[in-house]
Amino acid sequence: MVEAGPGAGRPRVRFAPSPTGFFHVGSARTALFNWLFARQTGGTFVLRIEDTDAERNREEWVEGIVSAMAWLGLDADEGPFRQSERAPQHAAAVDRLWQAGALYACDCSRDQVEERTRGNPTPGYDGYCRDRGLERGPGRALRFRMPDGGVTVVHDVVRGDVEFPNDAIEDFVVVKSNGQPLFVLANVVDDIDMAITHVIRGEDLLPSTPKAQVLWEALDGGDLPVFAHLPMLVNEQRKKLSKRRDPVAVESYRDQGYLPEALVNYLALLGWSPPGGREIVPVEELIRDFRLYDVNHSPAFFDLQKLAHMNGEYIRALALDEFVARCAPWITGPAAPWPAGRFDEAVFRRMAPLVQERVSTLGEVPGMVDFLFLEEPTVDEQAWAAVVRDEAAGDIVARAIDTYRSCGWTVDDLHRATAELAEAVGRKLGKAQAPIRVAVTGRRVGPPLFEALAVLGRDVVLGRLQAAQARLGTPAGG
Ligand code: GLU
């Protein structure tokens, strides 16, 4: 319990993920909304890892949660706590509930329950052991005695009042027959002990909330927390984001070169809209403007294109030095597509502003500049096929070799010389450039051609044009 003191009266929120898989973007959104609310209100953000399901939990997924949150900048004020280390508190709570008569022991097997309840109008347990007076013991589950009749109302910030008729809620299991307390019990005991005032979490947990409330009251937990169930995230087909079909792992966004500040900005828009309709909202402004009470209940479309677009905007807003520094894992590490030692930072820096304008993730950067650091450019097959189909390509390449042998070598010189070449072959400059670009860089898209040629230098450019000419089978000289 938290003592009255400087923080008294301030919200205490928690993010309580179960480490059963990769850290999901939906979980990241939940963590972010909790964190924003805590930072805005001067409250406390608690991280609690709900790791009691030993069969489904893995240590690497705990690490994944912790590192993804650090990457996103969602720092916890307390924790990470491990729910699995709080077994004594859970057991003590069960004892108290048992002594108060809130629980009863049950020795029904799953098959027996199924057989008895088949065809019942209300699904779930039929209360068979309610009045059998069984003692607690090995092999017996403990069930919570739901009140007969009446309704449990969840006052939800996002969804308004949601009513659950008590008769529709079965006498749910709080301790399994193997003695293991279930999620709903551990979750409520921890929320009470950690003095949580606001439970902000995914909408998938709303159905378990009436159970949480009756337990909270049976445990004399004091004032119920404020509940806010955040809308689910859906894909383009308006289906719930699926671990199998959709790219949901925060780690994969990090690895593709999304910037954490862009992802934070984007996640904040999933269920909430900043005032004034603006979309690029840096985190300080999110903290200032976010309103838990304005979160919308309709499903939020997780729009990959919009996220990529927003990431591109964040990339373009970086100062050059910062951009170069952020590119490091992709261009100087072992994952870079060129042999170690061939990378030249000065060359990269020269090209960087042009690259920065053209990428939407940092992961696209190597493909934009690999022609500078590879002995031979990686030739895109489709791009090359287009060159082969272009009957003027041989002539253009031959003329380019002639022209580039003797022209000046600044960006302007190269531009002028190539424009003259285009005129001579009766093509627009853009179209005339295409075979030259593919021959020299291997691709159809990339940084502006004349900058690329200027940086590569005359010898390399001529060498690549000659190689392309040989591949095209055009006799030297056109
Ligand atoms: N551990 C639960 C889950 O990951 C969340 C519990 C909660 O936020 O109340 O689904």
Side-chain angles (χ1 to χ4, degrees):
M1 283 288 180
V2 174
E3 311 270 310
R10 298 260 173 85
R12 290 179 56 83
V13 295
R14 85 303 194 271
F15 173 53
S18 303
T20 53
F22 288 113
F23 190 55
H24 192 287
V25 286
S27 301
R29 193 268 315 257
T30 299
L32 173 64
F33 280 26
N34 276 284
W35 181 86
L36 287 174
F37 184 67
R39 292 293 166 267
Q40 173 174 84
T41 55
T44 302
F45 177 54
V46 178
L47 174 57
R48 181 173 80 226
I49 308 285
E50 301 210 319
D51 59 346
T52 48
D53 187 345
E55 275 160 38
R56 294 176 61 219
N57 294 167
R58 279 209 230 143
E59 198 48 37
E60 70 201 74
W61 288 330
V62 176
E63 281 152 28
I65 292 168
V66 171
S67 77
M69 286 182 63
W71 179 68
L72 290 170
L74 307 180
D75 54 319
D77 303 306
E78 293 178 15
F81 298 112
R82 299 276 191 142
Q83 192 159 61
S84 57
E85 287 170 5
R86 297 184 30 84
Q89 287 86 338
H90 304 150
V94 170
D95 288 345
R96 273 194 286 135
L97 289 171
W98 176 259
Q99 272 145 27
L103 308 181
Y104 63 85
C106 168
D107 63 0
C108 299
S109 71
R110 195 188 296 260
D111 288 350
Q112 287 167 336
V113 176
E114 212 163 275
E115 196 154 305
R116 284 201 310 268
T117 59
R118 201 171 293 135
N120 275 7
T122 38
Y125 188 65
D126 58 355
Y128 181 81
C129 291
R130 219 174 209 242
D131 302 313
R132 286 176 66 210
L134 294 178
E135 275 309 311
R136 299 170 70 172
R140 289 181 179 169
L142 298 179
R143 290 184 180 272
F144 186 85
R145 210 179 275 280
M146 275 301 290
D148 290 316
V151 287
T152 297
V153 183
V154 175
H155 301 291
D156 190 273
V157 164
V158 179
R159 313 201 63 94
D161 285 357
V162 189
E163 295 192 357
F164 295 86
N166 290 334
D167 288 340
I169 302 171
E170 65 175 355
D171 287 346
F172 54 95
V173 174
V174 295
V175 179
K176 289 200 273 192
S177 56
N178 65 6
Q180 179 73 37
L182 275 173
F183 150 76
V184 66
L185 179 102
N187 183 263
V188 168
V189 170
D190 292 355
D191 281 347
I192 294 173
D193 287 355
M194 295 176 186
I196 297 305
T197 59
H198 294 68
V199 170
I200 305 168
R201 59 185 180 181
E203 188 184 85
D204 51 323
L205 289 154
L206 182 61
S208 73
T209 305
K211 299 177 189 171
Q213 287 194 183
V214 293
L215 275 172
W216 191 287
E217 278 156 8
L219 285 163
D220 286 332
D223 288 344
L224 283 173
V226 173
F227 286 100
H229 286 94
L230 307 176
M232 64 175 177
L233 305 188
V234 294
N235 64 16
E236 230 159 18
Q237 286 87 43
R238 303 276 141 188
K239 294 223 178 76
K240 192 173 168 214
L241 280 196
S242 125
K243 279 189 192 170
R244 257 157 286 124
R245 284 191 311 267
D246 302 303
V248 295
V250 171
E251 287 90 339
S252 83
Y253 290 94
R254 177 178 59 196
D255 297 348
Q256 286 171 65
Y258 281 82
L259 305 185
E261 60 270 42
L263 191 55
V264 160
N265 186 159
Y266 183 68
L267 291 173
L269 308 182
L270 297 174
W272 173 76
S273 312
R278 65 205 207 284
E279 300 220 300
I280 300 286
V281 190
V283 70
E284 313 77 56
E285 292 175 27
L286 290 175
I287 292 172
R288 186 191 65 203
D289 294 343
F290 176 74
R291 292 289 177 273
L292 184 61
Y293 287 78
D294 285 345
V295 171
N296 195 293
H297 68 262
S298 13
F301 173 30
F302 187 73
D303 183 345
L304 291 169
Q305 277 179 358
K306 188 165 158 183
L307 169 57
H309 177 80
M310 186 173 276
N311 200 55
E313 299 225 355
Y314 270 88
I315 287 178
R316 283 185 285 287
L318 294 174
L320 181 63
D321 282 342
E322 181 66 17
F323 174 68
V324 172
R326 300 264 198 130
C327 286
W330 285 271
I331 57 178
T332 58
W338 40 78
R342 281 195 63 99
F343 179 73
D344 180 332
E345 167 136 3
V347 169
F348 179 70
R349 285 187 77 89
R350 228 179 123 180
M351 204 51 94
L354 302 166
V355 173
Q356 191 176 3
E357 278 169 33
R358 286 169 171 74
V359 292
S360 48
T361 62
L362 298 177
E364 291 165 20
V365 170
M368 287 264 167
V369 295
D370 58 355
F371 70 91
L372 293 167
F373 308 120
L374 289 166
E375 190 88 43
E376 303 281 337
T378 311
V379 180
D380 176 78
E381 271 178 39
Q382 280 187 355
W384 180 252
V387 172
V388 171
R389 274 199 308 274
D390 178 355
E391 57 220 19
D395 182 33
I396 291 173
V397 169
R399 284 169 186 266
I401 293 170
D402 261 2
T403 306
Y404 294 159
R405 240 182 222 134
S406 54
C407 72
W409 206 258
T410 65
V411 172
D412 285 346
D413 295 333
L414 288 158
H415 189 156
R416 209 173 313 114
T418 313
E420 281 165 17
L421 183 161
E423 204 169 315
V425 297
R427 276 195 174 182
K428 290 222 165 81
L429 179 58
K431 199 142 183 256
Q433 277 182 43
I436 302 174
R437 175 189 290 283
V438 176
V440 175
T441 72
R443 302 182 204 270
R444 264 186 295 201
V445 287
L449 180 65
F450 309 120
E451 273 85 354
L453 300 180
V455 171
L456 272 173
R458 196 189 306 268
D459 291 347
V460 174
V461 169
L462 290 176
R464 289 186 184 179
L465 286 167
Q466 278 153 354
Q469 189 174 47
R471 250 180 301 149
L472 279 169
T474 319

